[in-house]
Amino acid sequence: PEHPVRIPLPDEHIEAHGPPHNLECEAAVLSACLNDEASAAKAIAIVRADDFYSEAHRRIFEAIVALMDKGQPVDVVQVATRLRDSDRMAQVGGMSYLTTVLNAAPALAGLEAYAETVARKARMRALILTCQRIVAQGYAAVDDEDAFIDRAEAAVHDISAVRRKAKADTMRAALHRAFTKVQEASQRAASQRYTGTPTGFRALDDATRGLQDGEQTVIAARPGMGKTALAMAVAGKVAARGIGVVVFSLEMPNDQLAMRALCSEAQVDVKKARVGAFDRNDLRKLTEAAGVVGMPEHFYLVDTPCSLLDVRAIVRARAADMARTKVKLGLVVVDYAQLMDAREGIRNREEAVSINARGLKMLAKEAGTHVLLLSQLNRGVENRQDRRPMLADLKESGALEESADLVVGLYRDDYYDEQSKTPGVIELLLLKHRHGPTGTVTLGFNAQSVSFNDVPNPDDWRGAP
C-alpha cells in the first residue's frame, strides 16, 4: 500500500512517553501529606520514596518520611527546612515548586487511591527493568538454562510478593466479613455438614470440618506407615467431587502412584502389580476401578524434582486453566517436605524445609486452596515404647509445626506388633489443630491394597480431654 500503517516500536514508545508513571497522582499524594499529617502516615503505609518517578517528588517524600520518623510535624515549612539542611532544595525546584505541590489541593479522601496508583506504576517500572535484565542475561552464555529460568521467574514474582504493604483493617470491616462467613456457613449447613472441602472420610471430616481454603495440613509418619496412600486417597475423593487437585509426588513416579491408586480403589493386592500376577477377578475389578480413578478431569500429577518456585508456577498455571472452565483448585499435595529442592544459597536442610513450609502456606493463602504437606518423622520415634508420633518428632524443621494449621501423625499398632489387639486400624493423631480440637481419628486400613475406610465405631473420633 502507498501509505502503510506504521506501528511504533517499543523503544520509540518509551522515548515518546517514558516509563509508566503518573506525575499528577504523585503531586496529589505529596499535597495531601503537606496539608494533613494524618494523610502522611497513610501514604507511608502504601508507598515508598523509590516509588516516585520524579526525582523532585522522591526527595520531597524522603523529607516527609524523615520528619515522621523523628516525630516532628509535617508541613511545608518543616519539609523546606529539611531539604535545605540536606542541600536538596535545588533538586526539587526550590520553594516555588514546593508551593506548587502544596497547592495541588487533592481531595484528602482520595489519598489512598492516588498512592495505590503511584505504587502500581512503580511496580510496572520494576517489572520492565527486571525483564530488560533477563533479556540481556539471556543473550549472554547461560550454563544452566533451567536454573536461569528459575531465577528469572523468581525475580518477576518477587516484584509483587516483596512490595506488598501491610494495611490496617477496621474491626467493623473485619467483623462484617466474619459475620458474612457465619451466615454462609449456616446456609451451607442446611445442605452439607462441613465448612471446608470434605476429605471423604467421615471421622476425619467430623473432627476438622473439612479442608479449609488458605490453610495447610501436615501429615507426618515414619516410612511405610501409609502417609502417601492417605494423601492420595483424600486427593482422589476430592477430585471425584469435581474439585481440582494437583499432586507433587517427589518420591514416587506418576505411573507407580496411579497403579497404587488403582489397586486401592479396586481393593487388589498392590504386591501383585509388581509382578503382574493378576487373576481374572483382579483384572475385572481393576478395569472397573480405572473408570472411577481416571474420571476426574482436573486431577494432575507431577513427579519431577521441584523447588518452591516450581510448585508455585505449576499451581498458578493449573489454577488459571481450571478457572477458565469454572473449576476450583481445592487441593495441592506435596509428597514430601524433605524432598523439595532447596533454593540457591540455602545453608542447610533444616533451613530449606523451613523456607519451603512457609512458602507453601503462603501459596495456600494466595491461591485460595488447601495444601496437604507430607513429612517424615525423626528416627527417635522408633526408640520409644509408645511409638505414637508427637510434634517434637517432625523431621528437620520446627517451621513445619509453626506454619501448619493442622498436624496429623499416623500410627498403626499392627505395623509394629503382629499380635496387635487392633489389626487393620490406623490412628490419625491430630497433634495440632489451630481452629479446632486435638485428639485421635480412627480409620480402617487394608495393608494389602493400601486403602482406607471409615469404621463403624462410635469412638472413631476421640477428642483430647
Side-chain angles (χ1 to χ4, degrees), residues 34-61:
L34 294 173
N35 280 285
D36 177 46
E37 193 167 321
S39 294
K42 291 179 182 178
I44 291 173
I46 300 173
V47 294
R48 302 181 307 190
D50 289 344
D51 291 340
F52 290 83
Y53 178 72
S54 163
E55 183 182 359
H57 294 166
R58 190 159 56 248
R59 299 306 183 193
I60 294 171
F61 195 74

Side-chain angles (χ1 to χ4, degrees), residues 245-257:
V245 175
V246 181
V247 176
F248 293 87
S249 177
L250 309 182
E251 183 179 35
M252 192 179 300
N254 287 343
D255 293 351
Q256 188 177 344
L257 205 62

Side-chain angles (χ1 to χ4, degrees), residues 391-414:
L391 284 175
D393 297 322
L394 285 172
K395 189 175 182 180
E396 291 182 323
S397 179
L400 286 171
E401 174 190 348
E402 295 169 7
S403 64
D405 297 278
L406 178 67
V407 177
V408 180
L410 304 187
Y411 175 76
R412 288 164 42 210
D413 193 63
D414 60 2

Side-chain angles (χ1 to χ4, degrees), residues 430-453:
L430 276 57
L431 304 175
K432 173 187 177 182
H433 194 185
R434 197 186 303 273
H435 307 297
T438 56
T440 302
V441 171
T442 303
L443 295 179
F445 180 73
N446 185 321
Q448 288 186 321
S449 59
V450 197
S451 58
F452 301 81
N453 61 277

Side-chain angles (χ1 to χ4, degrees), residues 55 67 118 133 143 248 321 338 347 426:
E55 183 182 359
L67 291 170
V118 173
R133 288 173 177 166
D143 295 331
F248 293 87
D321 289 343
Q338 287 78 16
R347 292 169 295 186
I426 185 168

Side-chain angles (χ1 to χ4, degrees), residues 292-334:
V292 176
V293 175
M295 181 62 70
E297 182 179 356
H298 299 283
F299 192 168
Y300 298 93
L301 304 177
V302 181
D303 63 0
T304 51
C306 286
S307 66
L308 178 60
L309 291 171
D310 296 326
V311 172
R312 281 178 181 153
I314 293 172
V315 167
R316 288 184 187 124
R318 294 278 71 83
D321 289 343
M322 293 177 196
R324 295 187 188 99
T325 56
K326 309 300 182 184
V327 173
K328 171 183 169 56
L329 175 58
L331 180 64
V332 173
V333 178
V334 178

